[in-house]
DNA sequence: CCCCGCTCTGGTATCGCTACCATCCTCCCG
DNA sequence: CGGGAGGATGGTAGCGATACCAGAGCGGGG
C-alpha cells in the first residue's frame, strides 16, 4: 500500500474542500453541499453551523468539481462583431458575470455579417461545444445566423432586437416607449421644430424608435411637420443627415438621432456651423454608448442597461439549456428591461425661451 | 447489485468521452490523453490513429474534468473600472480568450481609484478565490491596489503601464518609440509648427509619450519650439488644450494629442473655428480607441493590440501561478508587443505644400 | 550476453463535488 | 399505539480527466 498524501495540502491556495468544512462543522459533506446549494432539506440549526464553518474556513466550492459532478459547465457562445460596437465591453461584463454565476463557460466568437462568415463562426461555435448562443445587435437581425444556429440545435437569445420574432428568446428594452419618452422630453423643453435621424433600415430597433418619435409628434398635433433624414447608425451617416437638416431653413431647434454616434456627428456639424449646443441647438441620442459621455457637452440620451441585459440573456440561455434537459420549454422567453433617459448637457430649452 | 446506466448517454451533447475515443482507436484512455495534450511519448502511428478517432467522433475534452484532475481551473481576477475605458471591450475579448485557452476562470471586479474602493475590490477578488490579477490601465498605476494585491499574495500583471516598476510583471507597448514614430511621421509630412497635448501626469505612459515626441523634435533641430499643453486624457481637457493651441498665433499645422479622446476634442474645436481637418490642421492621437474610427474624418493614431496584450497578460499570470507551484519565478516578466501607426484621414501635408 | 536506460503504453487512484439511495427520526392519523 | 409520510442526514458511487507508477520492448555499452 502506498498511500502517502500525494500533495502537500497545506500550502496550496483555496484548498479547503467540502470535507474540511464538513469535519469542522461536524456534519457530512453531503449536508455541506446541501447548505451551499440552498437545498430545503437542512434544519436551520445545521445550516447555521455549516455556514459559520464555511465563513471561518473561507471555503469556496471548486467549480470544476461541481461542474463535473453535476454535468454542468456547458459552454455558451457569444457571437460578436459589432460595427457600432460601443456595446461590447459592457455587454461582456454582464455576460461574463452571469456565466460565472451559473458556472458555465463563455466562448467568444467574432462574426462578420456576411453569410459565409456567419456560417464559419457558427461552425466554430459548434465544434467548440457550445450549446447556446447570445446574439447582441446587430447580429440578432441576421436570419442566416439564426438559421445556422437553429440547424445546429442551439438555443438562442437575441439581445436588443427592436421587434424580435415571437419564437425567439429575447432580452430588450422597449425602443418604442423610450423614443416616445425622449420625444416628450423635447416637447416639454419647449421645442417645436424637430429633426429626426432614422437608424439603419435593416435593424428593427430603428423602426421602433422612429415609430415612437412620430407617434408623439402626431399626438401633439399642433407641431410643424418634423424634418426627417435617413441615417445608418454611423457617425458618417449622421454627418450627412445633419448637414441636410442644418442647411435648409427652417432649421430645427432640436434633433433626435436614433443613436449616439449619429448624435455626436450632429454636434460636430452644428459646431462647424457656429451653432452652440445646447444653446442654439438641442441634440439627443439613443443608447448611451461610450461616446455619449466622452464628448463634450455630454449627450442627453436613452440609457440601456447593457450589462444587465447581457446577464439576463445568459440566464435565459442557461435556463433553456438546463430546462430542456428534462422539463418543458422556457416559460417566458421575452424579457423587457427598464431603460432610462439620461439628461446631460446637450439638451436645453430652445433659444429665446424663458427658463 | 444495482448498476443500471444512471443516465442516458445518448442524447446528451458533447458526451463523447476520452474512453469512447480510446475504445474507437483501440488504445487506453491514457494514450488518448497524451495525444490530446501533446506529450512526446507517443509513437507517430498511435498518434495518427488517435487523432483520427478524435476527429471522427468529434471529441472535445471536458474542461471541468480536466481542471479537476490537474488541479487547474484557477480563478484569475481582472480589475477594471476605466474612466477612459475604450480599452475594456477589446481587453476583455483578449483576456477571455486566453483564459479559455488555459482553462482558467476569469473573475471580473469593478474598481474605482479611491483607496477604499480599491481595498474592497481586492477583498472581493480574494474571497472570490482569485490567485492572480490583471491590471489594465489606469489601475496598474495605483500603488494602493498593488499593495493590497501583494498583501494577498496574488500574482499581478500590469498592462500598458508606460514605465512599470521592475519587479512587476507587465505587458506593454513601447510608448516612447511609438510617440517617436508618430512625430517622425508628422515631420515627414512636412509639418514644422507642432502642438502637443500631454496626457494625465499620474500615468507613466504620458511621460513616455511626451519624451518620445520631444526627443524627435530636438533631434530634428531646425524646428520652431513646439507648443505644449497639459491634458488629462479626457475629451474635455483636450478641448481646453485645443482652445489654447488654436487661439494664439502662430497656430500649429499639426497637433499630436496623447490619446484619442483628446485628439477628437481637438478636431471638434478645430471645426468650430472653421478649420478643416486635415486640410487646415493635422490631428493625430494615440491608442486607436473606438472613437478614433467612429468619428469622421478618421483619426490617424497609434494602434495598440489590446486584445493581444490582455491575452499575454493572462498567459503571464497563468505561467506565474502554475510555475510558482513548483518551479522558480517566471523568466521574463516584461513583455513588449508591437504597436502600429494607423494612418487614417486626419493627417496630411500642411496647407500650401506640394503633394 | 546481460543490464541499463530510454521510449512507449496501460492500470490505478484520485481530484472535489453531487446524484441517488438508504436510513433514521419525528409527527400525524386512524 | 402501529403504520406511513416526509423531513433531515449520511454513505456510496461515480462525473471525465490526469498523475504517477509499473512494465514491456528495444538498442547499446561494458
Amino acid at each position: 500500500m502506498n498511500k502517502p498524501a500525494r500533495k502537500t495540502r497545506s500550502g496550496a491556495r483555496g484548498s479547503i474542500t467540502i470535507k474540511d468544512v464538513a469535519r469542522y462543522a461536524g456534519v457530512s459533506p453531503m449536508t455541506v453541499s446541501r447548505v451551499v446549494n440552498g437545498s430545503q432539506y437542512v434544519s436551520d440549526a445545521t445550516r447555521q453551523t455549516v455556514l459559520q464553518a464555511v465563513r471561518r474556513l473561507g471555503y469556496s466550492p471548486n467549480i470544476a468539481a461541481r461542474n463535473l459532478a453535476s454535468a454542468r459547465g456547458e459552454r455558451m457562445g457569444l457571437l460578436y462583431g459589432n460595427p457600432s460596437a460601443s456595446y461590447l465591453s459592457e455587454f461582456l461584463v454582464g455576460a461574463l458575470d452571469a456565466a460565472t454565476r451559473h458556472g458555465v463557460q463563455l466562448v467568444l466568437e467574432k462574426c462578420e455579417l456576411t453569410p459565409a462568415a456567419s456560417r464559419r463562426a457558427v461552425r466554430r461555435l459548434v465544434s467548440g461545444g457550445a450549446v447556446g448562443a447570445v446574439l447582441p445587435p446587430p447580429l440578432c437581425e441576421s436570419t442566416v445566423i439564426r438559421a445556422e444556429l437553429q440547424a445546429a440545435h442551439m438555443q438562442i437569445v437575441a439581445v436588443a432586437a427592436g421587434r424580435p420574432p415571437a419564437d425567439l428568446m429575447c432580452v430588450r428594452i422597449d425602443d418604442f416607449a423610450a423614443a416616445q419618452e425622449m420625444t416628450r422630453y423635447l416637447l416639454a423643453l419647449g421645442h417645436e421644430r424637430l429633426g429626426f435621424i432614422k437608424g439603419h433600415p435593416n435593424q428593427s430597433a430603428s423602426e421602433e424608435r422612429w415609430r415612437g418619435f412620430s407617434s408623439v409628434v402626431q399626438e401633439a398635433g399642433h407641431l410643424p411637420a418634423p424634418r426627417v433624414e435617413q441615417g445608418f447608425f454611423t457617425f458618417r451617416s449622421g454627418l450627412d443627415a445633419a448637414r441636410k437638416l442644418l442647411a435648409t431653413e427652417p432649421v430645427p431647434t432640436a434633433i433626435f438621432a436614433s443613436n449616439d454616434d449619429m448624435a455626436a456627428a450632429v454636434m460636430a456639424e452644428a459646431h462647424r456651423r457656429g451653432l452652440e449646443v445646447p444653446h442654439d441647438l438641442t441634440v439627443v441620442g439613443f443608447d448611451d454608448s461610450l461616446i455619449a459621455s466622452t464628448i463634450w457637452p455630454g449627450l442627453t440620451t436613452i440609457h440601456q442597461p447593457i450589462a444587465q441585459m447581457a446577464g439576463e440573456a445568459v440566464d435565459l440561455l442557461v435556463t433553456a439549456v438546463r430546462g430542456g434537459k428534462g422539463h418543458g420549454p422556457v416559460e417566458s422567453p421575452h424579457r423587457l428591461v427598464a431603460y432610462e433617459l439620461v439628461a446631460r448637457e446637450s439638451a436645453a430649452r430652445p433659444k429665446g425661451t424663458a427658463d
Side-chain angles (χ1 to χ4, degrees), chain A:
Chain A
M1 285 267 280
N2 51 351
K3 277 202 177 184
R6 250 213 297 172
K7 201 176 281 181
T8 332
R9 180 138 320 285
S10 56
R13 168 181 305 275
S15 57
I16 290 135
T17 76
I18 202 170
K19 281 188 192 166
D20 299 325
V21 179
R23 205 173 311 127
Y24 187 95
V27 298
S28 80
M30 267 317 301
T31 302
V32 177
S33 172
R34 285 194 191 95
V35 170
V36 170
N37 293 290
S39 156
Q40 56 170 322
Y41 294 112
V42 184
S43 71
D44 272 345
T46 311
R47 186 186 306 279
Q48 291 313 320
T49 316
V50 171
L51 284 177
Q52 205 164 49
V54 165
R55 247 173 280 125
R56 277 259 207 292
L57 266 41
Y59 167 71
S60 128
N62 179 316
I63 315 160
R66 191 204 292 257
N67 286 344
L68 179 55
S70 54
R72 288 218 193 79
E74 305 93 343
R75 299 206 264 250
M76 299 295 174
L78 168 45
L79 243 39
Y80 71 98
N82 203 325
S84 127
S86 325
Y87 274 107
L88 194 55
S89 103
E90 243 200 286
F91 200 94
L92 282 177
V93 172
L96 195 49
D97 191 64
T100 303
R101 258 206 328 277
H102 291 293
V104 303
Q105 214 198 353
L106 206 58
V107 183
L108 266 45
E109 202 61 68
K110 185 158 191 158
C111 175
E112 305 300 330
L113 264 175
T114 67
S118 309
R119 248 181 286 276
R120 248 178 291 127
V122 172
R123 237 178 278 290
R124 275 197 305 263
L125 225 47
V126 172
S127 73
V131 296
V134 181
L135 258 39
L139 266 41
C140 44
E141 311 275 351
S142 158
T143 48
V144 176
I145 294 182
R146 285 216 302 269
E148 285 284 322
L149 286 170
Q150 280 167 341
H153 301 289
M154 284 215 212
Q155 299 282 350
I156 313 176
V157 177
V159 178
R163 226 166 341 102
D167 64 326
L168 206 62
M169 291 192 291
C170 177
V171 180
R172 60 186 189 93
I173 63 165
D174 189 338
D175 286 278
F176 178 78
Q180 284 192 315
E181 180 170 338
M182 180 60 90
T183 310
R184 291 206 187 93
Y185 178 76
L186 294 177
L187 296 185
L189 282 175
H191 291 281
E192 302 202 323
R193 294 202 308 279
L194 303 181
F196 187 85
I197 305 179
K198 288 180 166 187
H200 199 295
N202 278 354
Q203 292 184 233
S204 53
S206 303
E207 171 73 10
E208 290 299 295
R209 292 174 193 179
W210 161 244
R211 279 185 47 232
F213 170 78
S214 50
S215 78
V216 169
V217 169
Q218 290 196 349
E219 234 167 54
H222 62 87
L223 300 178
R227 305 264 311 277
V228 181
E229 291 295 336
Q230 179 68 55
F232 301 92
F233 282 147
T234 64
F235 189 92
R236 189 60 209 271
S237 72
L239 221 44
D240 294 339
R243 221 160 273 170
K244 292 182 200 152
L245 288 176
L246 297 176
T248 47
E249 293 291 336
V251 170
T253 62
I255 294 181
F256 183 177
S258 288
N259 80 342
D260 290 343
D261 286 1
M262 296 195 298
V266 173
M267 282 181 44
E269 180 60 20
H271 287 155
R272 167 176 297 187
R273 292 175 174 269
L275 297 173
E276 281 298 323
V277 173
H279 182 252
D280 304 315
L281 178 71
T282 280
V283 180
V284 298
F286 203 108
D287 284 348
D288 198 18
S289 60
L290 208 52
I291 200 171
S293 45
T294 300
I295 57 176
W296 197 91
L299 197 57
T300 291
T301 188
I302 297 288
H303 176 76
Q304 302 195 43
I306 301 172
Q308 184 197 334
M309 291 167 76
E312 298 217 10
V314 172
D315 290 349
L316 228 43
L317 214 46
V318 170
T319 312
V321 169
R322 301 218 170 126
K325 270 183 184 166
H327 327 323
V330 183
E331 2 56 84
S332 164
H334 278 246
R335 225 114 119 178
L336 268 192
V337 302
Y339 58 86
E340 190 185 356
L341 195 160
V342 181
R344 295 205 180 86
E345 298 85 21
S346 72
R349 306 185 71 84
K351 207 168 13 175
T353 314
D355 210 6

